[in-house]
Amino acid sequence: MAEIVSATAKPLARRCASLLVAFSVSACTVVGPNYVRPASDIAPDWQSSSMVPVPKQTGDMAQWWKHFNDPVLNGLIDEALRKNHSAKIAALRVMEARAQLEIAGSNLYPQLQQATGSALYAARRPSGGVTSSQWNYSAGVNIGWELDFWGRFQRGIEAADANYLASLDSYDDAQILLVTQTATIYAAIRTLESRLNIVHGNADIQRRSLEITEHLFKSGNESELDLQQAKTQYLSTVASIPALEASLRTTQNALAVILARPPGPLPEMASGVGVIPQANLLMVADLPADLLRRRPDVRTAEMQLMAQSALIGVAQADLYPSLTLLGSLGVSAASISGSPTTAALSAGPSFTWNIFDYGRIRNNVRVQDARFQELAELYQDSVLQAAGEVDNAAVSYAKSLEQVSLLDQGEVAAKRALAIANIQYREGMADFERVLDAQRALFSQQERVVTNRGDVVGNLIAVYKAMGGAWQVARPEPFLDDATKKTMKERTNWGDLLDVPLPATDADPMTRK
């Protein structure tokens, strides 16, 4: 056996050296287009003109919600990032893409790996003779390795890598959506609470007017008309309370779902009831055009485009012949005394070329190219849509800010008008209709003030969402909780894939790996 191995060692070494040379050559031959980022329809220096007159302050945009200085909001967002089911689904899709990337990478190694073995026992007993037995043993290994001459496997790895990056971008996008939804719903709850406070306050004012007119009517100093008008206005105001309370509960339930909690009011929101969070827009260091390209949904569109570019190369590689190195090593022996132990080694190339499938393969290349162009258009559309969102959110925020001082002045004037109307009514200088008008005007103005304050917060949150803020905060954190990782490891051998942290995200998707 030793002589056989020695005799075959040198040819095997030569074959291995030839294999390494062929592999080196194959690594330099990659068919298909190399990805080039398409020119954007948005100019590099584009920025929304609506953001220029908006007051700004400096700060960390990655955690913009902390500038509201609301500990309750901060705690709710932290909880949402940890517990929300949609965020966990996005994280699990990252793990799926990681495993797919490992599969693609395995194609660079021998694809056929097969071990065989057998044992045969035979016994014979001649008539009247002694029983004789015999064992035969054999074992072998078959290996097949397709060389990546045309870069099909390398392009497959590029596509899997781009899909992995796209899954990371989708994960980032889920973080943005989660943070902005939590902040938006929180602000909506506070706005509804403030509106309820206003309704109750105006109902108290109108109830006192009703009590006065009722007393005057019973004493014969006032007509029934004033009483019924006061009663109508009071009951109309009180009747709006149930609808607001229903809206409040519905909004609270929406926030509970995001936090993966049972429906109902949140205990931590019992403090600060009706206080709408306020903050100014943070100073943006980068140009909005750069921020657009860093938005996770835009990055996802580009990574999908990059993956499709690689798939064109995968399809084109089928136009060329493939070379597979096949080899087998076998050993056989028998238990009969004096029988030889033999070893066999064979190796050689296998040449495959789908010449008669040329039309099908060529059209498959065209299919992949058409899909690439479709995704290129989708990428351009995503950039334009993102720019539109930024401008819409910026102009809404700027215009809602313009209303703040005007509405505040209007509320002050409405309060003063009601006070004057009450004085003139008591002194007999005005009828009760003036009081009712003043009460309605105050109620309406206070409603507008509160609604406007809620709009300012909502539009500010929309600006941050449009500019892609908040995704950076999730990357350093564990993207799967310990309980989920433990369950998955007990079910399947994941190795260390579940423990590898997410890669840091660079500003340019072309440099991220």
Side-chain angles (χ1 to χ4, degrees):
M1 180 66 181
E3 293 179 358
I4 296 174
V5 173
S6 176
T8 58
K10 291 182 179 179
L12 181 60
R14 286 194 296 269
R15 290 190 180 95
C16 289
S18 300
L19 176 63
L20 290 175
V21 172
F23 185 78
S24 299
V25 172
S26 69
C28 300
T29 308
V30 181
V31 299
N34 293 321
Y35 175 76
V36 177
R37 174 183 289 164
S40 174
D41 292 337
I42 298 294
D45 58 348
W46 175 87
Q47 60 179 336
S48 172
S49 59
S50 302
M51 298 180 65
V52 176
V54 175
K56 300 175 182 178
Q57 66 185 60
T58 58
D60 182 11
M61 185 177 166
Q63 298 186 10
W64 50 261
W65 60 91
K66 292 189 175 180
H67 294 273
F68 287 107
N69 296 318
D70 191 328
V72 176
L73 175 60
N74 296 341
L76 293 176
I77 288 178
D78 290 342
E79 182 178 349
L81 290 171
R82 294 194 314 271
K83 297 183 177 180
N84 182 262
H85 292 297
S86 297
K88 290 183 179 180
I89 291 172
L92 291 169
R93 285 173 179 161
V94 172
M95 298 312 306
E96 179 184 347
R98 273 184 174 176
Q100 292 288 352
L101 181 57
E102 293 291 328
I103 292 174
S106 66
N107 286 326
L108 293 177
Y109 303 97
Q111 295 90 28
L112 172 63
Q113 305 166 42
Q114 182 181 14
T116 60
S118 65
L120 177 65
Y121 173 76
R124 185 177 63 173
R125 183 179 181 181
S127 177
V130 180
T131 300
S132 63
S133 60
Q134 174 182 344
W135 283 94
N136 291 318
Y137 310 90
S138 65
V141 177
N142 298 320
I143 296 178
W145 192 350
E146 180 182 346
L147 300 181
D148 195 20
F149 269 107
W150 314 111
R152 175 170 53 177
F153 299 144
Q154 182 174 331
R155 291 299 191 192
I157 293 174
E158 289 179 14
D161 187 55
N163 285 327
Y164 169 58
L165 293 176
S167 72
L168 287 173
D169 295 329
S170 297
Y171 173 74
D172 294 337
D173 199 34
Q175 307 304 307
I176 292 179
L177 184 61
L178 184 58
V179 170
T180 53
Q181 280 185 335
T182 303
T184 300
I185 295 176
Y186 177 83
I189 290 173
R190 292 307 194 195
T191 302
L192 285 168
E193 290 172 346
S194 183
R195 290 181 62 189
L196 275 169
N197 290 341
I198 289 173
V199 173
H200 285 294
N202 280 273
D204 290 339
I205 293 173
Q206 294 166 12
R207 187 185 68 253
R208 288 194 294 269
S209 295
L210 175 60
E211 291 170 351
I212 292 172
T213 56
E214 186 175 20
H215 175 72
L216 292 174
F217 172 71
K218 289 179 179 180
S219 63
N221 295 324
E222 199 63 76
S223 67
E224 185 181 359
L225 177 60
D226 291 346
L227 171 63
Q228 296 303 328
Q229 286 179 323
K231 187 175 184 179
T232 299
Q233 183 150 297
Y234 169 70
L235 293 177
S236 177
T237 300
V238 173
S240 65
I241 294 176
L244 285 173
E245 289 177 338
S247 296
L248 176 61
R249 185 57 176 268
T250 301
T251 311
Q252 289 170 336
N253 290 343
L255 184 55
V257 169
I258 288 179
L259 299 173
R261 294 193 197 179
L266 281 63
E268 55 265 56
M269 293 190 68
S271 60
V273 173
V275 179
I276 302 174
Q278 298 292 322
N280 291 325
L281 178 64
L282 297 174
M283 181 72 72
V284 180
D286 298 318
L287 286 172
D290 294 331
L291 293 176
L292 294 182
R293 297 184 186 93
R294 286 164 50 181
R295 273 181 41 148
D297 58 333
V298 175
R299 297 200 315 259
T300 300
E302 183 174 4
M303 291 302 100
Q304 292 172 343
L305 183 63
M306 183 182 292
Q308 186 59 39
S309 174
L311 291 179
I312 296 175
V314 173
Q316 286 185 351
D318 290 336
L319 292 169
Y320 304 97
S322 63
L323 180 65
T324 303
L325 297 181
L326 300 175
S328 64
L329 174 64
V331 178
S332 63
S335 62
I336 299 176
S337 177
S339 63
T341 298
T342 61
L345 175 65
S346 63
S350 173
F351 183 81
T352 305
W353 195 354
N354 296 322
I355 299 176
F356 298 106
D357 272 348
Y358 189 83
R360 178 187 62 81
I361 297 172
R362 172 62 67 185
N363 280 290
N364 182 47
V365 174
R366 293 166 179 165
V367 168
Q368 302 305 322
D369 186 69
R371 289 175 180 172
F372 175 83
Q373 195 59 41
E374 291 170 14
L375 291 173
E377 298 298 330
L378 182 62
Y379 169 73
Q380 296 290 2
D381 185 67
S382 66
V383 175
L384 291 173
Q385 292 284 354
E389 288 182 22
V390 170
D391 196 65
N392 290 341
V395 69
S396 297
Y397 177 61
K399 296 306 178 182
S400 60
L401 277 181
E402 291 180 12
Q403 292 180 288
V404 170
S405 61
L406 299 175
L407 291 174
D408 286 342
Q409 294 175 40
E411 182 182 8
V412 172
K415 288 180 179 179
R416 177 60 179 161
L418 178 58
I420 294 173
N422 283 327
I423 292 173
Q424 290 181 347
Y425 174 68
R426 287 195 299 268
E427 295 178 354
M429 299 174 60
D431 57 17
F432 189 66
E433 184 66 31
R434 297 287 296 275
V435 176
L436 294 177
D437 289 342
Q439 288 177 352
R440 283 192 292 266
L442 176 61
F443 186 20
S444 175
Q445 193 66 23
Q446 288 179 328
E447 275 272 302
R448 292 184 65 189
V449 168
V450 170
T451 301
N452 174 255
R453 289 174 181 170
D455 289 343
V456 169
V457 179
N459 292 329
L460 177 58
I461 294 171
V463 171
Y464 289 128
K465 178 180 181 295
M467 292 192 297
W471 56 266
Q472 303 97 327
V473 70
R475 282 300 183 91
E477 302 297 328
F479 60 103
L480 287 178
D481 58 89
D482 293 337
T484 301
K485 288 195 289 187
K486 180 181 178 182
T487 300
M488 294 178 68
K489 287 181 178 180
E490 290 175 350
R491 187 171 57 240
T492 305
N493 180 13
W494 277 89
D496 61 351
L497 279 182
L498 297 179
D499 301 312
V500 177
L502 292 180
T505 300
D506 190 85
D508 187 354
M510 298 288 290
T511 64
R512 291 178 297 145
K513 296 293 180 184

